[in-house]
Amino acid sequence: MIRVGIIGCGRISDLHAQAYLEHPEAVITAVCDPVPGNRDTRGAAWGVAERDRHADYRELLARDDVDMVEILVPHHLHAQVTLDAMDAGKHVSLQKPMATSLADADADAMIARAAERHVVFKVFENFVFYPPVQRAKALVEAGEIGEVRSIRLKSNPGWSPTAWEVPAAASAWRADPEQSGGGPLVFDDGHHKFAIAWHFLGLADRVHAFVGSSYDGLIDAPSMVSWTHPDGAVGALEVVYSPELKLDTVHYAQDDRVEITGTRGVIWITRGHGRMLDVAPVVLHRDGVTTGYDDMPTGWETSFVRSGQHFVDALLDGTPPALTGEQGREVLAFALAAQESARTGRAAVPSV
C-alpha cells in the first residue's frame, strides 16, 4: 500500500487526489495547506481525519506514515518543498513545470537530490496520459502515418457557463512571472503542449517565439511558438484567447487541438480540456481514407487519474515513472527556450 501525502489543496488537487482514491493499493493519509478552508474541505472529502490535516508541510514530511508526496504549490516554491521532501525520504510527484529555471538551485538540484536520497522523482504531466493522446501515440508507433515530420498544437481559452470555479488567488499567482516563471498560457499551460511535442518528437533543437500580451498584461496571448527538431521535423504552438468563445467543458474554459503529420498520413486530436468539435476525439487520414476513433474516455480528469496511478504502479513495480526528473527537465528547457526567444527576438536553443 502506497501512503500518500498531498501538499497543496487548491482547485487542481481534486483531480490529483482522484487517482489515489481510485487505486486499490494507495491511500491518502495526510494533507497540507496553509489555508484552513482548503485543507479541511479537501481533507474531509478524501477521508483524511482532522488530526492528519496540516498547515505546515514540514509536519507532514515528519510523518512515518507517508511514503510519497504530491506537491501542488506555486511554481516558485517547488524546489524548496521538493528538496525538503527528498531529505525526509519521501518519493515525490511534483506538479509541472518542475521549476522556474534550470539553475543549480532549481531543476538540477532536485534531480541530483533524488539520486542522493535514493527516492523516486516524477514530474506530474497529465496530457501525455490523456487517452486521445495515447491513442495517437499508438497509431504513430504502429506506422500508420509513416515518419512524423510535423506537429501543430492549438490552445484556445474562452468562456463556459459550465466551467469550474477557479479561486482568484490561484489566477493571481499564475499571472505573476516572479511566482509562475512565465505567463499562464504559454509557460504554465504551455507545458502540456511542449510535453506533447516532446512525447512525439523529443527535445527541440531550436525554438522561436512571439509571446503577446493582453488585458493589462494578465494574458500572454495571442502568441506563436515554432521549433525544429534534430531530424528536421518541425512544430508550432498557437495560443489565442477568445473571451466571447463559448466552450463545452466542466473544467477550465479552454480547448486544445493537435495535428500530427507524417510521410504517409495525418492524425488529429480534436479535444483536450473541453469539447469544441463534434467529431471523434482522434481522426486518422491515410491512403485516402479518413477514420475516426471514439472508443476511449475523453474526460480531462482521466489523464490525471492515469498519470497518478502510473506513479503508484511505478513505485510498486520498481519501474521508472513518466515523466522522470530528467524528462521533466527537457520539457522545462523547451518552455524556457520559448520565453528566452520571446524576450530577445531571436531563436533560442533549449539547454541540455
Side-chain angles (χ1 to χ4, degrees), residues 38-306:
N38 283 350
R39 65 176 180 266
D40 289 337
T41 299
R42 266 74 189 208
W46 304 335
V48 177
E50 186 173 355
R51 66 178 180 277
D52 299 322
R53 307 170 196 167
H54 303 280
D56 188 333
Y57 75 88
R58 297 171 189 85
E59 295 178 359
L60 185 148
L61 295 179
R63 298 175 63 115
D64 293 329
D65 60 349
V66 172
D67 302 308
M68 63 150 285
V69 291
E70 187 97 322
I71 299 176
L72 307 172
V73 299
H75 306 336
H76 70 297
L77 302 175
H78 281 187
Q80 189 59 60
V81 178
T82 296
L83 293 172
D84 288 345
M86 292 173 174
D87 284 343
K90 312 302 184 187
H91 303 300
V92 173
S93 172
L94 174 64
Q95 172 69 300
K96 63 81 196 164
M98 63 188 297
T100 59
S101 79
L102 298 173
D104 289 343
D106 288 334
D108 290 339
M110 290 184 275
I111 294 170
R113 192 69 58 85
E116 292 170 2
R117 299 293 185 257
H118 303 289
V119 296
V120 182
F121 180 30
K122 169 185 174 168
V123 177
F124 190 100
E125 167 54 54
N126 63 293
F127 257 76
V128 299
F129 288 92
Y130 185 49
V133 173
Q134 292 182 316
R135 177 62 60 84
K137 180 72 168 177
L139 291 171
V140 167
E141 292 180 344
E144 291 291 346
I145 62 171
E147 184 181 356
V148 176
R149 305 313 299 145
S150 78
I151 184 166
R152 296 197 308 164
L153 304 102
K154 179 70 176 285
S155 178
N156 205 169
W159 77 278
S160 174
T162 56
W164 64 359
E165 182 180 352
V166 178
S171 299
W173 73 256
R174 283 183 170 84
D176 180 359
E178 292 297 319
Q179 298 185 66
S180 66
L185 299 181
V186 179
F187 183 73
D188 183 22
D189 183 68
H191 188 282
H192 296 306
K193 284 67 182 182
F194 296 127
I196 290 173
W198 171 89
H199 189 52
F200 283 93
L201 286 168
L203 183 61
D205 61 359
R206 185 176 57 173
V207 182
H208 193 277
F210 167 79
V211 177
S213 179
S214 55
Y215 296 88
D216 296 323
L218 297 177
I219 302 294
D220 50 337
S223 297
M224 178 70 74
V225 183
S226 59
W227 58 85
T228 62
H229 292 272
D231 67 351
V234 297
L237 165 64
E238 177 185 331
V239 180
V240 177
Y241 176 49
S242 304
E244 299 176 26
L245 176 66
K246 183 178 179 181
L247 296 170
D248 178 9
T249 180
V250 295
H251 296 112
Y252 292 112
Q254 181 173 327
D255 208 1
D256 314 284
R257 281 97 68 205
V258 183
E259 180 180 276
I260 306 162
T261 303
T263 55
R264 188 179 184 182
V266 183
I267 295 171
W268 292 271
I269 303 168
T270 67
R271 66 192 64 174
H273 292 76
R275 172 177 166 173
M276 181 184 297
L277 303 177
D278 191 18
V279 297
V282 177
V283 178
L284 165 68
H285 182 82
R286 195 193 88 170
D287 299 332
V289 178
T290 301
T291 305
Y293 298 87
D294 57 9
D295 56 335
M296 70 200 79
T298 57
W300 193 54
E301 68 280 356
T302 306
S303 62
F304 284 82
V305 172
R306 291 190 176 188

